[in-house]
Amino acid sequence: YGFTGKLSGRKVMVEFSCPNTNKPLHLGHMRNDSIGESVSRILAAAGGEVMKVNLINDRGIHICKSMLAYRKFGGGRTPEEEGLKSDHFVGKYYVKFNEWVKEDPTAEEQARAMLRAWEAGDPETVELWKKMNGWAISGIQETYRATGISFDRYYFESETYLSGREEILKGLERGIFYREQDGSVW
């Protein structure tokens, strides 16, 4: 029942999950993953050639917050040393950052500086980013396996943000966007 040819010969892309690499998946991801996987299967049953994709948000200030807290409080420890699933280990430092920023008002600016260092290709920052993203993605993929979620293709924001950045700069020039006093673009 339900297998039709209505979508025969049609290609359909379904993008879902799209986690941040600064913490483990949460209930909202699990909901979206269930819906994305189900819709993909329904479209395939209707004859569609379905490609399931996941855009992983692996860059930005939120990622740097986890990195900065790990650098400050982590002492070089690993998920294995602490007996934690690797994405939960990274998430622990995101929580730690949010505790620390209440005590140290410079923490937010330090995270912005780290993001600028990452964007400039600072080797030490990039190495830390690779390590922590590796931990987060490994843990997230473990959750996908345990919940029966799969993807045909992964995209990473770190690989696409520069082209998006160019579009934003063009939009600034054309007056579509504006810059706030803190330098952020809206």
Side-chain angles (χ1 to χ4, degrees), residues 142-177:
E142 186 180 326
T143 300
Y144 289 148
R145 284 188 297 278
T147 57
I149 303 300
S150 65
F151 297 94
D152 300 304
R153 178 80 193 257
Y154 289 91
Y155 294 94
F156 296 87
E157 185 184 2
S158 61
E159 297 171 351
T160 62
Y161 84 100
L162 287 176
S163 59
R165 186 175 192 268
E166 301 224 357
E167 290 301 316
I168 297 299
L169 293 175
K170 288 177 190 173
L172 272 171
E173 288 174 12
R174 294 194 314 255
I176 296 169
F177 306 119

Side-chain angles (χ1 to χ4, degrees), residues 60-117:
I61 190 72
H62 51 291
I63 308 301
C64 290
K65 289 176 180 179
S66 295
M67 292 167 52
L68 187 60
Y70 175 76
R71 183 182 281 167
K72 182 165 179 65
F73 303 107
R77 290 185 298 274
T78 67
E80 296 79 19
E81 289 172 345
E82 292 197 10
L84 288 174
K85 190 169 170 268
S86 55
D87 53 339
H88 289 257
F89 179 81
V90 173
K92 170 182 152 178
Y93 289 98
Y94 186 66
V95 170
K96 186 73 175 162
F97 177 87
N98 288 314
E99 294 166 355
W100 174 44
V101 75
K102 293 173 189 169
E103 301 164 11
D104 183 352
T106 70
E108 193 74 38
E109 180 48 42
Q110 289 179 56
R112 285 192 227 297
M114 180 176 268
L115 178 58
R116 289 189 296 272

Side-chain angles (χ1 to χ4, degrees), residues 35-61:
I35 292 170
E37 189 71 33
S38 297
V39 167
S40 297
R41 291 178 188 191
I42 291 167
L43 293 169
E49 184 183 329
V50 179
M51 177 178 276
K52 298 182 294 182
V53 301
N54 189 349
L55 173 62
I56 296 184
N57 186 357
D58 65 339
R59 66 160 302 278
I61 190 72

